[in-house]
Amino acid sequence: MKCPFCNQDNTRVVDSRPADDNTAIRRRRMCDACGKRFTTYEKVETIPLIVIKKDQNREQFDRSKIEAGVLRACHKRPVSAEQIHRLVDDVETEVFNLEEREIPSSVIGEIVMDKLKDLEAVAYVRFASVYREFKDVNTFMDELKKILK
Ligand SMILES: [Zn+2]
């Protein structure tokens, strides 16, 4: 990075710390040429991720919606808030790692189900029944049998 005082290229970072609101990194830099110090801020660029819903409407990816769905599925099941939080973290990471700008909600739903399956069987079936809109009890039972095997 160029020194704002003498325009030389050889500056180095002498200190890094999060800025007050934690959305940026504050760096103190020193210029090796003139010895002056200056401050820079690095911001993380947020990339908006768009979810394509079943009705083809688009909305911004919203972690809290996933969390609410999982929470509902885990109602009165032995799953801690911490476990749910971690599961949603994993889902979010996986979704962002797809590196797509637009992702169908069905893809996100499948990722959630995949992780719920390992966490809690009943919660998984509940989530799947809402998500896949099971038409009747038989479909529901089939799904249940599959995971209990
Ligand atoms: Zn300088």
Side-chain angles (χ1 to χ4, degrees), residues 8-148:
Q8 292 290 311
D9 255 337
N10 41 348
T11 60
R12 58 197 161 90
V13 176
V14 289
D15 185 38
S16 296
R17 65 184 61 180
D20 296 336
D21 58 357
N22 263 322
T23 62
I25 300 277
R26 178 183 180 276
R27 291 196 203 284
R28 286 294 285 167
R29 291 173 190 268
M30 197 181 120
C31 172
D32 282 337
C34 71
K36 288 196 172 113
R37 288 170 183 237
F38 60 100
T39 305
T40 57
Y41 290 90
E42 262 170 44
K43 277 231 174 235
V44 173
E45 225 181 302
T46 47
I47 305 152
L49 179 67
I50 302 301
V51 177
I52 309 166
K53 298 196 294 181
K54 239 180 267 171
D55 58 9
Q56 297 304 306
N57 276 329
R58 282 157 165 78
E59 62 179 28
Q60 199 158 338
F61 176 81
D62 185 354
R63 179 200 161 99
S64 63
K65 282 189 182 161
I66 297 175
E67 198 147 20
V70 174
L71 204 63
R72 224 175 296 129
C74 291
H75 184 64
K76 290 193 171 166
R77 300 303 305 164
V79 182
S80 70
E82 175 59 34
Q83 282 174 305
I84 292 173
H85 195 83
R86 228 178 302 139
L87 183 140
V88 179
D89 274 351
D90 288 349
V91 171
E92 202 176 21
T93 307
E94 203 160 305
V95 167
F96 276 92
N97 281 347
L98 294 172
E99 292 183 0
E100 301 281 351
R101 280 293 171 101
E102 296 192 322
I103 293 177
S105 58
S106 57
V107 172
I108 298 174
E110 294 297 329
I111 295 173
V112 174
M113 281 187 267
D114 196 49
K115 307 216 174 286
L116 258 185
K117 206 189 289 182
D118 296 333
L119 186 67
E120 226 283 320
V122 174
Y124 162 72
V125 175
R126 276 188 195 150
F127 189 91
S129 69
V130 173
Y131 198 79
R132 294 208 173 116
E133 296 171 332
F134 288 166
K135 303 241 171 349
D136 51 50
V137 172
N138 289 335
T139 336
F140 188 83
M141 291 307 290
D142 287 347
E143 197 65 30
L144 194 59
K145 273 182 214 144
K146 249 191 271 167
I147 59 161
L148 291 180

